[in-house]
């Protein structure tokens, strides 16, 4: 019995002691968490020199040669897992069901399209209104400071996306919770991000509907005998188009729309300021800042103008979401293509915003209507500019508004579906997803009809949402990265963050004053 037992146990003992053979040293395929097989790359020859060290460099064929085959396979698979997943990121199964993280095949080109589509749009056309209150010097200085400030905070968000090993902050609210705490982070970040997304979507419906009306009037001409639609009916037409396009499932699927939005934004921004500058200026033009009846009125108007400039730099509430659509590994982290695409996008954004602000103010001065460049172009030069060229400009604005609506609505769609999937523990069906998006589109339409003045309160929108762009990223850097206390970085980020909060309060007060005194504002902006 004893001898038989030894014979039965002998094969197992020999299996453990068998040395590695050339056949067993062949590289096995690595099964990644996504289920795709990724074969390990062939080892470099000795003539290629010593490669740079990585966290998995010690798991090499030379290091593994004296180790038995079972242990070697475990270590090789661990190496592949580390290279594929990155920082041992904990995968949330629910992320595969949500629009933001459903598809992770983004790249630097997608990042450029999305950032450009989110960063430039109708808000650029209102910048000359701010210059009418600030004048040349303060207008250009404020616009320059705001541009570099928001560019730095964008870099902070890109770096904080994977600041903690094993965690990707795929949404702005998630990063706020990591920095400020679970409850406080939601309270601080949820309202401004949702307000910015929904408020921008509502403003896009108003701008898009009004521009469609201008396009129809321009194409139809004064001899048109058809019965035109009312402004509210144009809002409804534009909302219906937005709802149809919003049926695209996730953020990566609207990359083509973002490309169209980026091209149209660059095109019509350039056309607007070129057409304005090329025409003869009004005879009574003046570049002196508008003087209001009292000092307090002038101060509030200046604050509202600074809020308009702050609102021109939107899009930070989408930075983490855009980066979440990209794959990330140790060798190829997501922040590299994201920052590469963001840099290209913001160079183009500067080429749109600065010429529109400076050229628009040079063309119209303090006669700029409160609606911005489109209204000024239609009011002063509708008879001087060829009708076809003017109609093309309006049509490009409509296309851009349709594209911008999709990317700004995607975080809200994601929130709707996250609530549904967390309760039902299953993905949304196509009918549930479509129902959410139809509901959201018509809610924005009814808000726009009830509050049609939203298109002229960019100062209030900029003030309320300013912390998302200028303040919160600075606080997050200190609380997550934890620089040395009382160091330059510590003082710099705390000061920049609290300065952003102070500006937010001041600009919000200026925006509220502008709403209350809308009659006074229209009096001073009425074109002659």
């Amino acid at each position: 019995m004893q001898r038989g037992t030894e014979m039965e146990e002998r094969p197992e003992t020999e299996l453990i002691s068998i040395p590695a053979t050339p056949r067993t040293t062949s590289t096995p395929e690595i099964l990644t968490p996504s289920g795709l097989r990724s074969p390990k790359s062939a080892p470099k020859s000795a003539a290629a020199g010593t490669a740079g060290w990585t966290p998995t460099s010690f798991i090499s064929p030379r290091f593994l040669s004296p180790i038995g085959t079972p242990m070697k396979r475990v270590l090789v698979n661990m190496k592949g897992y580390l290279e594929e997943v990155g920082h041992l990121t904990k995968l949330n199964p629910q992320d595969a069901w949500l629009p933001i993280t459903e598809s992770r095949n983004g790249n630097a080109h997608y990042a450029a399209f999305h950032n450009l589509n989110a960063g430039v749009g109708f808000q650029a056309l209102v910048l000359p209104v701010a210059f009418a209150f600030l004048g040349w010097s303060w207008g250009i200085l404020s616009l320059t400071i705001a541009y570099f400030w928001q560019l730095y905070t964008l870099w902070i968000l890109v770096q904080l996306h994977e600041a903690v090993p094993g965690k990707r902050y795929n949404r702005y609210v998630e990063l706020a919770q990591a920095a400020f705490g679970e409850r406080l982070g939601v309270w601080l970040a949820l309202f401004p991000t949702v307000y910015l997304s929904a408020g921008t979507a509502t403003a896009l419906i108003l701008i898009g509907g009004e521009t469609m009306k201008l396009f129809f009037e321009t194409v139809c001409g004064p001899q048109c005998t058809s019965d035109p639609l009312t402004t509210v009916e144009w809002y409804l037409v534009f909302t219906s188009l937005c709802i149809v396009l919003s049926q695209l499932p996730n953020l990566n699927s609207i990359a083509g729309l973002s490309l169209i939005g980026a091209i149209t934004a660059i095109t019509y921004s350039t056309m607007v300021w070129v057409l304005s500058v090329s025409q003869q200026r009004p005879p009574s033009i003046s570049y002196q800042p508008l003087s209001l009846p009292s000092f307090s009125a002038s101060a509030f108007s200046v604050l509202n103008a600074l809020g308009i400039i702050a609102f021109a730099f939107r899009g930070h509430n989408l930075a983490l979401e855009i980066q979440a659509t990209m794959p990330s590994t140790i060798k190829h982290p997501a922040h590299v293509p994201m920052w590469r695409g963001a840099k290209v996008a913001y160079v183009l954004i500067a080429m749109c915003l600065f010429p529109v602000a400076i050229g628009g103010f040079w063309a119209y001065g303090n006669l700029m209507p409160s609606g911005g460049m489109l209204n000024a172009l239609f009011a002063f030069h509708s008879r001087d500019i060829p009708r076809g060229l003017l109609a093309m400009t309006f049509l490009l604005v409509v296309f851009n508004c349709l594209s911008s609506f999709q990317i700004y609505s995607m975080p809200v769609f994601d929130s709707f579906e996250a609530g549904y999937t967390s309760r039902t523990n299953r993905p949304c069906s196509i009918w549930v997803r479509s129902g959410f998006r139809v509901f959201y589109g018509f809610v924005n339409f009814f808000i726009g009809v009830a509050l049609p003045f939203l298109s002229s309160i960019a100062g209030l929108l900029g003030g309320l949402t300013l912390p998302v762009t200028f303040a919160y990223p600075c606080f997050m850097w200190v609380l997550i990265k934890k620089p040395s206390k009382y160091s330059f970085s510590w003082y710099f980020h705390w000061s920049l963050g609290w300065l952003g909060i102070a500006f937010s309060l001041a600009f919000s007060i200026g925006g509220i004053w502008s709403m209350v005194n809308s009659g006074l504002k229209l009096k001073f902006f009425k074109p002659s």
Side-chain angles (χ1 to χ4, degrees), residues 445-496:
F445 166 74
F446 287 121
I447 293 176
V449 172
L451 304 173
F453 52 83
L454 278 176
S455 59
S456 61
I457 59 170
L460 180 60
L461 287 171
L464 292 177
T465 59
L466 184 144
V468 173
T469 302
F470 294 94
Y472 289 166
C474 301
F475 294 145
M476 293 171 180
W477 181 267
V478 175
L479 296 174
I480 294 178
K481 288 293 188 178
K482 302 185 184 301
S484 300
K485 200 172 184 180
Y486 306 123
S487 63
F488 173 77
S489 177
W490 189 86
Y491 277 116
F492 177 74
H493 289 96
W494 276 117
S495 301
L496 209 60

Side-chain angles (χ1 to χ4, degrees), residues 208-436:
E210 292 172 359
T211 309
M212 289 181 75
K213 182 180 179 181
L214 291 176
F215 170 77
F216 177 80
E217 292 176 353
T218 303
V219 172
C220 191
Q223 288 79 25
C224 184
T225 57
S226 62
D227 187 16
L229 299 177
T230 64
T231 304
V232 174
E233 290 172 337
W234 281 116
Y235 292 162
L236 183 60
V237 172
F238 184 84
T239 304
S240 301
L241 293 175
C242 289
I243 291 174
V244 171
L245 292 176
S246 67
Q247 302 307 312
L248 292 171
N250 54 60
L251 190 55
N252 268 338
S253 66
I254 65 170
L257 284 178
S258 291
L259 176 60
I260 294 174
I263 294 174
T264 53
I266 295 173
T267 305
Y268 79 69
S269 297
T270 305
M271 289 180 62
V272 163
W273 73 263
V274 168
L275 290 175
S276 299
V277 171
S278 63
Q279 300 299 318
Q280 186 175 3
R281 288 179 291 176
S284 58
I285 190 173
S286 173
Y287 298 111
Q288 293 297 323
L290 288 171
S291 57
L292 298 185
S294 63
F295 174 79
S296 60
S298 299
F300 285 132
S301 298
V302 169
L303 292 177
N304 183 58
L306 293 173
I308 293 175
I309 292 178
F311 181 62
F313 298 104
R314 52 178 190 158
H316 280 46
N317 63 313
L318 298 169
L320 295 172
E321 285 78 356
I322 295 172
Q323 194 169 348
T325 64
M326 302 179 183
S328 184
T329 66
I330 288 179
K331 291 184 178 180
H332 304 286
H335 69 83
V336 175
M338 175 64 184
W339 182 238
R340 188 184 302 124
K343 286 189 295 185
V344 174
Y346 275 86
V347 168
L348 296 175
I349 288 172
M351 294 171 61
C352 293
L353 298 186
F354 283 88
V356 167
I358 296 172
F361 186 58
W362 182 88
Y364 306 110
N366 55 17
L367 299 177
M368 175 65 62
S370 59
M373 289 286 286
L374 286 181
N375 288 0
L377 201 63
F378 190 79
F380 291 104
H381 303 301
S382 59
R383 298 180 180 179
D384 304 327
I385 299 175
R387 195 168 62 183
L389 195 59
L390 199 61
M392 182 184 297
T393 305
F394 293 148
L395 189 61
L396 290 173
V397 174
V398 172
F399 286 158
N400 176 256
C401 290
L402 288 170
S403 302
S404 298
F405 182 91
Q406 308 309 318
I407 192 168
Y408 268 90
S409 302
M410 197 60 70
V412 182
F413 299 157
D414 188 84
S415 299
F416 285 161
E417 296 187 27
Y420 177 85
T421 56
S422 62
R423 292 186 179 183
T424 62
N425 197 28
R426 61 182 180 183
C428 291
S429 65
I430 187 173
W431 298 109
V432 173
R433 173 173 285 181
S434 299
F436 282 146

Side-chain angles (χ1 to χ4, degrees), residues 69-98:
T69 302
M71 182 61 69
K72 179 179 178 179
R73 286 180 176 175
V74 170
L75 293 177
V76 170
N77 284 326
M78 183 178 70
K79 177 184 179 182
Y81 183 79
L82 288 171
E83 291 177 349
E84 290 291 331
V85 179
H87 305 289
L88 291 177
T89 304
K90 297 178 182 178
L91 302 176
N92 183 3
Q94 188 182 2
D95 280 347
W97 300 339
L98 302 179

